[in-house]
Every structure is written in structure tokens, then in C-alpha cells.
Amino acid sequence: MDYTKLSQLLFPEISSTPDDWEKKYPARDLPPEAKVTRIGPSPTGFVHLGNLYNALVGERLAHQSGGVFFLRIEDTDNKREVEGAVDAVINAMSFFDVNFDEGATIDGEKGDYGPYCQRQRKEIYQSIAKHLVEEGLAYPCFCAEEELSAMRETQIAAKENFGYWGKWAHCRELTYTEIEQKIAAGEPFVLRYRSPGSGEKDITVEDAIRGNLVMQENYQDFVLLKSDGIPTYHFAHVVDDHLMRTTHVVRGEEWLATLPMHVQLFDSLGWPRPLYCHTAVLEKMNGEQRRKLSKRKDPELALSYYQAEGYLPQSVWEYLLTVLNSNYEEWRLANPDLNCREFPFSAEKMSNSGTLFDLDKLKDISKEVIAKMSAAEIYQQFLAWCESYDEGFAALLKADRAYAEQIIDIGRDGDRPRKDLLSWKAAVEFLSFYYDERFKHDDDYPANITEGLRQEILTAYLAKQDFADDNSVWFEKIKEIAAHFGFALKPKDYKKNPEQYPGSIVDVSNVIRVAITGRQNSPDLWTICQVIGEPRIRQRIGKEIEMS
RNA sequence: GGCGCGUUGGAGAAGCGGCUUAACUCACCAGCCUUUCACGCUGGCAUUCAUGGGUUCGAAUCCCAUACGCGUCACCA
């Protein structure tokens, strides 16, 4: 078979050669330790945590080493593509503070190794494909979908390995004349790789996260170009990452199984292999069973979930970093004020077993992150979130900025600052009682206090309260009320002899607290009274007294 | 079914042949502090590293087998 003739028949319009591309995309001028990484999301309209997770690894590896991190859009599947999805990816990454040196951007693209959208690289793929045909390493396959699935049935029945290989690879042996006739007849075809492997050998591939992997060599004649001339992931990955001079391929472990295909292709083309970094999958508990986070079942997989819940990008970064390199937490404890990007991230330290996604941990980290911010910073970011997700609350915040910052800051000063806020959504809930428009009762009164007693306590409080009192005088009055109704003044006394008292001073305080804030958990009550002010306090307590 | 990856407490995990009576963080529990709730502090939470064999003076750490979990086997990525 004259492969050159075949390549002309298959790609009559392609005149560029691999050499042309090598010249157009020369090796990058970077120091030897600099890593070049990328993420390659497909524009399906759904940007998930896994995208961010891998992006973080790539970003750290590249920028920590003085290298390049770029964004490539893997849009080779037109069936799955969704309108506006490219912008969604770019916006999500930028929201989470992932910055690219090259690649697709909102207005066009930047960088010298583009185009960065695979659909626009058709000529490159075809010219490499043409070269493979010339070398006898690729051939057209005319098998229809039905034939392939029939073949699969036979393979299952015969207990043979699935796929297009060896004796099952019918189109492998087509003659030039047969091919020519089929093409003349307008039969559609895909281009398959003629795998030099038999599956009898093992190959060794180094993985930066997993160490040396020993795997069976590839023997499948997998598809390089689909019938529309667009490459499959496998081919696009090899061509792009070579020509874009990627040094480290960071991707999920679901690619491990097809790794032998990729390295075989790299070897066939005489190109150096990149260093692979296969990250562990993110899982969650589903009843008793662990499973991979699923797009359909798990809202927390979507990046938009974290935006909507009002988690800070910073918190998500730090959470992911603890999952990625567990020594991050210790580093953070030792360096509370450094930017998380100063942490020495390492691929070797990454876990290679599936990781359970832990929302509790994210919440804890998020509390710490917010606790470190100033009231002004919180106000600004909180307001920005409210403007997208809770306009009513945004209006309240804007109406009186000083008041907003004041309530945000209650109890946050001193050596032991409160950590009440864990997300902006939670902050709306937490701060709502400071605003009459949002005030509501979330918690009940202490269960051990009868309704009648509660009325009396509140009435007495209203009578005694003087807003000019300082904190200690104010509290003395609470004590007087407690004593008057026979409550234990020390919680311990009540604990020791619960039968001797109707309750302790704690219960008295809590009755007043619930009347004023609508819940049992709040910052310092006296401060709250000062901030809310006499008329509104009287109104709230008065309403509670009337109600019963 | 083939191939591959994995298995240390409720979760993330450190440890990678003796320093481990298994670090650290989250969760949980108890106590302390406190006018409540938080915050903070103290302590508890794996006599054991999926199971069974083996190597070794010595194993969570090395080897083998088994089990279980996960991933993957498309003209999807």
C-alpha cells in the first residue's frame, strides 16, 4: 500500500506538515524548572468542583515554578456544547481567582500557542493525521455504528476483549482501491490509529502524583478523527499538549485507563511525553456507599453552588488546598498571615485515593477566613454578594453602612473574637434580627420557663431597663430580676440543685435574648440593645408581652 | 468480563522497616471559662493501620493471595 497516496486521497486539501507546526510553536523559552500546565474544560455549561480542583493544581505547579498556566477549551464534541458555556467557564475561574497566562478569555484569546479552542485547530490535527497516514500509523475506518455494536455483542459472547483491535479491526486491511471506491461512493469514515501494540507488553509511565505506573500497553485501534474531521480527546490531547509545550498534564484519574493510548501516540509521533499528574476523584457519601460526585445528583458539585451559598473564593481555595496537600493546615497554623499562594505546594504530597468531599471542613475554614477580615472588607464583599442573591438585604446594608459595619463587628474585637459568619448566605440569616424588616423568631424560649413567668420577666425588664446604663449596671438589673423571681444567680447552683429554682440567671437572660433577637444564640446582649436602640427594643419586647 | 487505581478513626490525613503507647485538622463527646450562645482552653475518641499468609530480631511501612470500593473499556470529555 502506498501510504503517501492514501494520505493524499484522505486529506487532499492539507499541505501543512508537522514540521511547519513545530516551527510555528517552538519550545518555550523558560528555565528548565518552569512547568507549563493547563486546564481543558469542555464547554458543557456546567463548571464543577473537579475543574477548579485540577485548575488549582495546575495553577500552583506552573506559577510556583515560574512557568505558564493556560486555558484551552476542549470543544470537540459539538453535541454537548451549550451556548455561552465558554464564558461561564472563564467567569467561574476568574470568580475563584484562578488566573491564566494564556488561552481563551472573554474577549478573544491571548498567547502565542493558539488557537486555544480545539475546534479552530482542525487544520493542525488533520495535518498531523495526514502524517500518521503517510507513516502507515493511521487508516480510515468505514464501519457503521450498528456494525460496531454487533461486533461488541459477538465479543461479549465469545468472552473476548471489547474494541477495535487485531482480527476485529476489519478496516485495517482495506486495500487502496477499496478505500477509494468507498470514498467515491461518499461513505463516511473515521480515522483510526494503527496501534503498534499487541497488549502483551507492559509499559511504565511516571506519574508525578502516583509514582511509577506499570500498565498494559495499548492495542486498540482507537479513533483519531471523527467522521466530521474533528479529533477525539485522545488525539487532541497529544497534539495540543505537544504543540502547546505542556510539561505537566494535570487531569482526573478517570484518564488513567486511557493513558497507554496517549503515551503510545506520543511515542509513535516521536514526541517527548509530558509528565502526567492524575488527581484523585472527589467523592461523597451516598447512604452507606461512597461514590464519585455526580453532576445530576449533587448540587455541591457545581461551582455555582458555592457562589450562591456565598462561600468566599478564598475559603474554597483553602479547603481544596487542605484536601490536595494535607500539610497545608499545619502550614496555615504556622503562617496565619501569609497568602495561601506562598504555601509550597507539591504534587508528590497529593493523595491518590478518592477523597470524600467534606462540607463541615469547608465551613470551618470559611469561618476562619471571614474572622480574619475587617468589618469594612466584610461589608464590601457581603454587599456584593447580596446584590446578586438577596437584593432586599443589599438595600438594607446600603441604607446605613455605618450601622451595618457596626453589627458585623459586634464581638469580633479582643483576643477571642467570635466566628459567627461562615458564608454570606449564613450571614444574612445571622444578621437579620438587627433589621426590623427581617426580624423573625427562629428559636423558642427556654423550655423550663412557663409562659406566665416569661411575661413577668419581660415586664420587669422593660420597667427596669435604662439605656444610659453601662454593661455592668445593666447586668446588675438582670440579676435583680432573677433574684426577685427566685432564680439561681450562679448557673452552677442551679445545676447542683435544679429543684430549688425555677431556673438560673442564664434562663432569665435567654428569655430577654429571645424576645429581642428571636434566637438563643447571639452576641453580647447589652451591646445589641445599644445598637438596636431603645424604641425598637421596647417595641419588640412589648409585642412579646401583648402576644400572650 | 478485561484492564487499571485504591483501602490508616465518623471525615481529610501524617507516617513509607525500629524515634508510633499512629502527628495534625474537622466532626463528635465530656469538663473548664463565661450572664446565654459563640470564641478559647483541657481531655476523650484507631491497643491498631481491609483480611489472611510470608520476609525480618522487628512491619501500618516490604512480598504474595483474598475481599471490598472506585474508575474505565464511545465517532463524550
Side-chain angles (χ1 to χ4, degrees), chain A residues 1 66 103 105 132 232 296 306 332 343 350 368 467 487 501 518:
Chain A
M1 162 96 70
T105 70
L132 283 170
T232 56
R296 272 189 32 237
Y306 301 91
R332 171 48 84 209
F343 167 72
M350 286 181 59
E368 298 286 344
F467 280 74
F487 282 80
Y501 309 94

Side-chain angles (χ1 to χ4, degrees), chain A residues 431-449:
Chain A
L431 299 172
S432 59
F433 73 82
Y434 292 104
Y435 295 95
D436 293 336
E437 296 84 344
R438 293 294 187 105
F439 176 63
K440 62 185 191 309
H441 273 254
D442 294 327
D443 290 337
D444 290 331
Y445 284 96
N448 53 331
I449 310 297

Side-chain angles (χ1 to χ4, degrees), chain A residues 140-345:
Chain A
C141 167
F142 298 88
C143 293
E145 217 179 304
E146 310 80 69
E147 292 176 71
L148 292 174
S149 46
M151 182 177 97
R152 195 188 151 91
E153 296 292 311
T154 318
Q155 285 170 333
I156 292 174
K159 291 195 166 45
E160 294 249 28
N161 287 343
F162 313 147
Y164 212 81
W165 59 280
K167 62 180 171 181
W168 304 96
H170 306 302
C171 295
R172 223 180 210 234
E173 307 307 335
L174 253 29
T175 64
Y176 182 85
T177 321
E178 287 170 315
I179 294 170
E180 197 177 29
Q181 279 169 359
K182 284 175 186 286
I183 289 181
E187 276 191 49
F189 65 90
V190 300
L191 192 75
R192 282 185 189 274
Y193 178 51
R194 190 190 302 273
S195 171
S198 62
E200 281 155 20
K201 279 193 309 192
D202 281 343
I203 53 161
T204 302
V205 187
E206 188 189 344
D207 184 290
I209 295 170
R210 292 157 195 268
N212 269 10
L213 298 167
V214 178
M215 308 178 86
Q216 186 186 23
E217 71 171 341
N218 173 63
Y219 58 90
Q220 294 275 345
D221 284 0
F222 59 90
V223 174
L224 261 17
L225 293 178
K226 304 183 238 179
S227 53
D228 57 2
I230 296 290
T232 56
Y233 170 85
H234 312 297
F235 190 45
H237 150 56
V238 171
V239 170
D240 290 345
D241 283 319
H242 174 251
L243 257 16
M244 292 177 173
R245 310 295 170 177
T246 307
T247 63
H248 289 60
V249 172
V250 178
R251 42 143 75 152
E253 74 167 88
E254 65 269 24
W255 293 108
L256 227 36
T258 47
L259 180 59
M261 291 166 33
H262 307 322
V263 300
Q264 196 173 56
L265 239 190
F266 269 106
D267 295 352
S268 282
L269 284 159
W271 293 344
R273 301 173 186 174
L275 218 199
Y276 286 92
C277 310
H278 288 97
T279 60
V281 290
L282 251 22
E283 300 175 338
K284 81 173 276 180
M285 242 22 210
N286 189 233
E288 291 287 285
Q289 290 232 305
R290 259 170 183 265
R291 63 163 168 73
K292 193 174 162 183
L293 277 167
S294 130
K295 179 172 157 182
R296 272 189 32 237
K297 298 175 198 152
D298 308 311
E300 70 269 38
L301 183 58
L303 242 31
S304 53
Y305 170 84
Y306 301 91
Q307 291 187 52
E309 289 291 310
Y311 285 106
L312 308 203
Q314 169 78 12
S315 311
V316 178
W317 258 81
E318 297 214 23
Y319 170 68
L320 254 17
L321 241 19
T322 67
V323 167
L324 256 14
N325 273 188
S326 75
N327 54 326
Y328 175 78
E329 286 183 84
E330 286 177 65
W331 177 88
R332 171 48 84 209
L333 244 31
N335 306 280
D337 300 316
L338 292 185
N339 185 295
C340 62
R341 288 178 208 238
E342 292 185 49
F343 167 72
F345 182 80

